[in-house]
Amino acid sequence: MNNIPFDPYDFFGYLASGLLVVVGMNLTLGFPRVFGQDLKLIDSAVLLLGIYVVGQVIATPAKALLEDGVVEKLLGQPSINLLRMKKPWVRALLFPGFYKQLPEHIREKIIARAARDQAPGSGEPLFLHVRYHPDILNNEKLIAKLDGFLNKYGFARNLAFASLTLGAAMLIRTHFAPNPELKKYAFTALVAGVLLFYRYLKFIRQYSFELFNHYAGGA
């Protein structure tokens, strides 16, 4: 495994979404040609590099739109939602798992410990305090678990963005050049993008959930 030139996030976060974009470009624009081609070693290496670069490029707008935009500006960060006293009922109806709060006794422990640490009592400042607390940094088992959630939510976020973007692009293409088969691909990509976005919300919430539970357990 140590000989593989990509770490888990390279695969989950970049290569998968980059491959989807390249395949989508082949379907909508006709290039680069990746289906039915007898690629030589150099060709395969160039294609793999291109997929990786595309995945890297996709990660930037994916984070800007889905994480910094939709989650932070519209839905609220998990560090806020986990400690809410009341749920925003409309958003909680659409995203019930994302707005599931920590049990009340856990919330009380977190608030009490943060007060003793003279730390902020809520929001992103509290999250940063918890994330870089020595109890967290020195727990290798917990850090490994958090890294797993990071890989999973990076994969889901980037692939959700790629799927939604390509689904929209294919629909636009079918509007100008009707193609029933491409329209099926478009709707499939859009549905997959929405489902992947829900998976992204699950894993980004679980990241904070594990942090806060561990922090409360040390109170």
Side-chain angles (χ1 to χ4, degrees):
M1 291 296 291
N2 292 333
N3 294 325
I4 298 176
F6 303 108
D7 64 26
Y9 190 79
D10 280 320
F11 177 79
F12 289 114
Y14 302 133
L15 288 180
S17 57
L19 177 60
L20 180 60
V21 171
V22 169
V23 169
M25 289 175 62
N26 192 167
L27 290 172
T28 57
L29 303 176
F31 74 90
R33 296 187 180 277
V34 294
F35 295 124
Q37 303 298 310
D38 184 17
L39 299 176
K40 306 303 182 184
L41 179 61
I42 297 299
D43 299 326
S44 299
V46 171
L47 179 60
L48 181 62
L49 177 61
I51 289 171
Y52 181 73
V53 171
V54 170
Q56 289 273 1
V57 172
I58 282 293
T60 299
K63 183 180 185 302
L65 180 64
L66 299 184
E67 192 163 332
D68 300 338
V70 176
V71 171
E72 185 170 345
K73 304 299 183 183
L74 298 178
L75 303 182
Q77 290 286 358
S79 56
I80 296 174
N81 295 325
L82 287 168
L83 300 176
R84 282 182 185 271
M85 299 300 293
K86 293 183 179 180
K87 301 177 184 178
W89 71 271
V90 174
R91 284 174 286 170
L93 186 64
L94 294 172
F95 307 98
F98 187 66
Y99 285 100
K100 187 176 181 180
Q101 302 136 301
L102 286 165
E104 185 176 355
H105 70 283
I106 298 294
R107 297 201 304 267
E108 291 174 351
K109 286 184 177 181
I110 293 169
I111 293 171
R113 187 174 187 189
R116 290 198 299 273
D117 290 348
Q118 297 183 335
S122 63
E124 196 67 9
L126 176 60
F127 171 83
L128 293 174
H129 169 77
V130 173
R131 177 60 183 85
Y132 295 103
H133 193 280
D135 286 355
I136 303 296
L137 295 177
N138 295 329
N139 189 322
E140 294 183 1
K141 184 177 180 180
L142 176 64
I143 293 296
K145 183 182 290 188
L146 295 176
D147 286 343
F149 288 129
L150 177 65
N151 292 336
K152 290 174 182 176
Y153 86 63
F155 164 78
R157 181 197 66 203
N158 296 349
L159 204 55
F161 178 82
S163 295
L164 293 170
T165 302
L166 289 176
M170 286 188 282
L171 277 182
I172 293 172
R173 173 65 186 270
T174 59
H175 176 74
F176 294 101
N179 184 328
E181 185 175 1
L182 189 60
K183 183 174 286 189
K184 292 178 183 178
Y185 288 146
F187 283 116
T188 300
L190 291 173
V191 170
V194 171
L195 295 177
L196 283 163
F197 180 68
Y198 273 86
R199 294 295 289 173
Y200 160 62
L201 294 181
K202 169 187 170 68
F203 291 125
I204 196 173
R205 175 190 177 277
Q206 196 66 28
Y207 187 102
S208 295
F209 180 86
E210 293 292 338
L211 276 177
F212 283 133
N213 267 288
H214 183 84
Y215 184 73

